[in-house]
Every structure is written in C-alpha cells, then in structure tokens.
Amino acid sequence: MKSTSSSPMKKASNLQLRVLSGVIGGVLLLGSVWWRGESFVALFSLIALLSAYELLTLAQIHIKHPGKTAGVLSSAIILLLHALHLVGALQSWAWLWAPVFLFVFLCWTLLYDRHQGQPLEVMALHCVVWIYVLLPFMLYMRAAYLFEGSYHYYIALGFLLLLWANDTGAYFVGKALGKNKLFPRISPGKTWEGAIGGGVLSMFVALGLSSAFQSLSVEQWVGMSFLITVGGIYGDLTESMIKRSLGVKDSGKLIPGHGGFLDRFDGLLLAAPLVAAWLYWSARAAF
C-alpha cells in the first residue's frame, strides 16, 4: 500500500518541478531576448556551452577519455569570440582566428598521450560538438543580427515561439489522434498526426507573427514556420537516435524535471541553419 500511494505523489511532485522549471526557463529566455542583444547573445552562448558539455559527457559512455575539459574550453573560446564579434566588440578580421584555433586544437588532441588509443574518435567527437551543437546556436544568434548588422529581437522571439508551437501541437495532437508512427525504430512515441498538428499550429502562430511584426513578410514568417517544423522533427529524431545508441533516456540533468539542454533545444540544432539560410536568401531576393 505504501509504494502504491507514494507513486502518485511522486508523479505530482515531478510535474510541479517540471512546470516550475519550465516557467522560470521560459521567463529567462523571453526576458533575455526582449531586453537587449547582449543579454540574448550571453544567455544562448551559455546554453550552447552547456549543451556541448552534455554531449561530451554522454560520449564518455563509448570513449574512455573524450577530452571533456579541453572540449568545453575550446567551445567556450569559440562562443566568446563569436559573441564579441556579434555585439561589435571584436573586429571582423579577428574572428578569423577561430578556425586557426580549431586546427591547432585538433592537432594537440591527436598528439595528447591520453587519447592515443582513440585519436580518431576523439577528433570526430569534437568536430561533432562544434558543427552539431555550436554552429546551430551561433547561426540562430546571428539570424537576429542579419539585417543591417543590428539586433532585431522579433526574429529571435519568433523563432522560439514557432519552435514551441510546433512542439506543443505535435505533443497534444499526437496524444489525442496519433496512430501512424513517424519513425518507430528511433522514436516510437512520435506520429504523423502529431507532426502535422505541430506544423499547423506553428503556421497559425506564423500568421499571427506576420501581423505583429511586419518587418518580415508573410512569406518569410510562413517559410520560417515550415523550416522549423521540418528541422524540429529531424532535430528531435537525431537526438533520440544519439540517446538510443548510448542507452540513455535524457541528455543530462541540468534542467530539473526536463532532462538536459540538448533535450530541450534538439529542434533548434537542425532548424536554425535552415532558418538562417532562408532569411538570408529571402532578404537578398527581395532586392
């Protein structure tokens, strides 16, 4: 009897923790986006760094010495250079030192004695961290500075709202109507009905954003919605595949009740490069 009664109480406690951390996280994210460009860049650079840390930590399951400390340090330096350049505190030419730094770091990684047994795996891991984790976050931040080199909060805000709308619609429609599995080998819980529901809700939000923020055209907002839906689905599936291959449920425990930062921002990782490319192309095509 004792274990039976404690189970609902535990679930209620987990739900309260999940809601509380979700509200606090949402306020921090939206507040940083709305306040100013520096706060936006600072917070998302930190999120990118913590996401890189999570992936390097997960890699320890298969790689004995993944060079986590060096990986976090290199990620921090890259994100710092990028942030300083984005907010105008670093000249454009100085940003070119980042590729030089990465090349030197890879050479050092290969020569470091502790990694002699798995040099290729360690080198590949750090490349994945830079390309799969850091680059999408940097492109997301850069998209908000795409026009005239100044910060436009509505782009960063709209991206988040569209991403959340897609996740919310997919969850509730999938729960209510989901029957046809989207990719059962990787993520048995996701359905085609949920994916369509997420896309429809995201499209409605995009139409609302096009009325509220007319600096971007309706076509640009709708295109963002479509790309975030597609990128969000594949980003979620990609992260699920990584976790399934490593035999873990969550990417980490840094967010109480929600797992890790990779769990919460997996959709951004594949959607951000698509959206940045779309905004760049559509802006040029308009002239």
Side-chain angles (χ1 to χ4, degrees), residues 40 48 79 82 86 95 130-131 133-146 155-156 159 268-277 279-280:
F40 162 67
L79 290 168
H82 175 260
L86 201 55
W95 173 241
W130 298 329
I131 296 173
V133 178
L134 301 190
L135 182 60
F137 275 105
M138 290 191 293
L139 288 174
Y140 167 58
M141 289 183 273
R142 193 157 288 274
Y145 284 83
L146 190 61
I155 295 178
F159 184 100
L268 181 148
L269 298 182
L270 267 68
L274 298 177
V275 169
L279 290 178
Y280 178 78

Side-chain angles (χ1 to χ4, degrees), residues 48-72:
L49 182 60
L50 292 173
S51 300
Y53 168 82
E54 286 182 351
L55 186 56
L56 289 163
T57 301
L58 286 175
Q60 289 180 309
I61 297 174
H62 280 330
I63 302 176
K64 187 175 181 180
H65 298 293
K68 185 165 69 172
T69 301
V72 171

Side-chain angles (χ1 to χ4, degrees), residues 77-281:
I77 293 174
I78 294 168
L79 290 168
L80 178 62
L81 288 173
H82 175 260
L84 291 175
H85 175 244
L86 201 55
V87 300
L90 191 67
Q91 295 181 5
S92 298
W93 63 266
W95 173 241
L96 296 177
W97 282 105
V100 177
F101 169 77
L102 294 180
F103 175 76
V104 172
F105 176 81
L106 282 177
C107 292
W108 175 82
T109 300
L110 287 174
L111 296 174
Y112 190 39
D113 289 338
R114 291 181 63 191
H115 308 312
Q116 285 292 324
Q118 297 175 295
L120 185 59
E121 289 87 344
V122 173
M123 185 173 66
L125 169 63
H126 288 277
C127 288
V128 168
V129 169
W130 298 329
I131 296 173
Y132 172 64
V133 178
L134 301 190
L135 182 60
F137 275 105
M138 290 191 293
L139 288 174
Y140 167 58
M141 289 183 273
R142 193 157 288 274
Y145 284 83
L146 190 61
F147 303 105
E148 301 174 356
S150 57
Y151 176 59
H152 299 282
Y153 80 94
Y154 56 86
I155 295 178
L157 175 66
F159 184 100
L160 289 179
L161 294 179
L162 292 172
L163 187 63
W164 291 343
N166 179 60
D167 290 342
T168 302
Y171 176 79
F172 285 106
V173 174
K175 284 286 186 181
L177 305 174
K179 293 182 179 179
N180 300 291
K181 302 298 182 181
L182 181 64
F183 214 126
R185 180 174 62 86
I186 294 177
S187 187
K190 290 179 175 52
T191 63
W192 281 103
E193 292 81 1
I196 294 172
V200 170
L201 182 58
S202 179
M203 196 68 68
F204 276 113
V205 172
L207 293 175
L209 289 169
S210 69
S211 298
F213 304 107
Q214 298 181 8
S215 296
L216 294 183
S217 66
V218 176
E219 292 79 9
Q220 286 176 311
W221 282 116
V222 170
M224 281 180 63
S225 171
F226 174 75
L227 293 174
I228 286 173
T229 297
V230 174
I233 291 173
Y234 278 98
D236 195 313
L237 290 172
T238 300
E239 203 238 355
S240 295
M241 178 181 64
I242 292 172
K243 291 189 295 185
R244 183 174 287 271
S245 68
L246 296 173
V248 297
K249 181 181 179 181
D250 298 319
S251 65
K253 299 179 181 179
L254 295 176
I255 307 178
H258 287 267
F261 283 96
L262 284 176
D263 294 321
R264 299 281 66 83
F265 291 94
D266 52 4
L268 181 148
L269 298 182
L270 267 68
L274 298 177
V275 169
W278 163 246
L279 290 178
Y280 178 78
W281 177 84

